[in-house]
């Protein structure tokens, strides 16, 4: 592919991207130029603010029986050498 062909393909892709973004901005009500939500208000996703609170995860070790039949990802089976 020549440089000119590649530049034409890039321009075409960029034009497609611009059209897609414009269509998304048009389809999403209040997306373009809207202000961010005020502190303490519910997000636009419809999830209540109390559902987005942090969850504390205990430091206690997990039960090892959860992984009895699992392999170490990328390392292979436990009883064999890693590649």
């Amino acid at each position: 592919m020549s440089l000119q062909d590649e530049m034409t393909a890039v321009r075409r892709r960029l034009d497609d991207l611009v059209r897609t973004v414009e269509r998304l901005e048009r389809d999403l009500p209040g997306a373009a130029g809207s202000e961010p939500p005020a502190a303490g208000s519910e997000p636009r996703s419809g999830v209540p603010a109390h559902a987005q609170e942090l969850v504390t995860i205990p430091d206690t070790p997990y039960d090892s029986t959860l992984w009895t039949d699992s392999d170490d990802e990328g390392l292979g089976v436990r009883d064999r050498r890693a590649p």
Side-chain angles (χ1 to χ4, degrees):
M1 193 178 238
S2 71
L3 180 62
Q4 186 64 31
D5 293 339
E6 290 179 7
M7 292 299 292
T8 303
V10 168
R11 281 191 196 108
R12 189 177 318 121
R13 300 281 184 206
L14 186 58
D15 290 341
D16 289 343
L17 178 63
V18 169
R19 279 194 299 274
T20 303
V21 169
E22 288 172 350
R23 187 175 344 119
L24 284 172
E25 288 175 343
R26 201 173 47 245
D27 292 345
L28 295 175
S34 66
E35 295 180 12
S41 67
E42 290 190 9
R44 275 195 263 181
S45 65
V47 178
H50 65 82
Q52 294 182 348
E53 294 177 9
L54 296 177
V55 176
T56 304
I57 299 174
D59 290 333
T60 57
Y62 289 111
D63 184 11
S64 62
T65 59
L66 294 172
W67 291 277
T68 54
D69 295 334
S70 67
D71 295 336
D72 293 325
E73 292 183 24
L75 298 177
V77 181
R78 292 178 197 255
D79 300 337
R80 299 185 197 146
R81 264 186 39 207

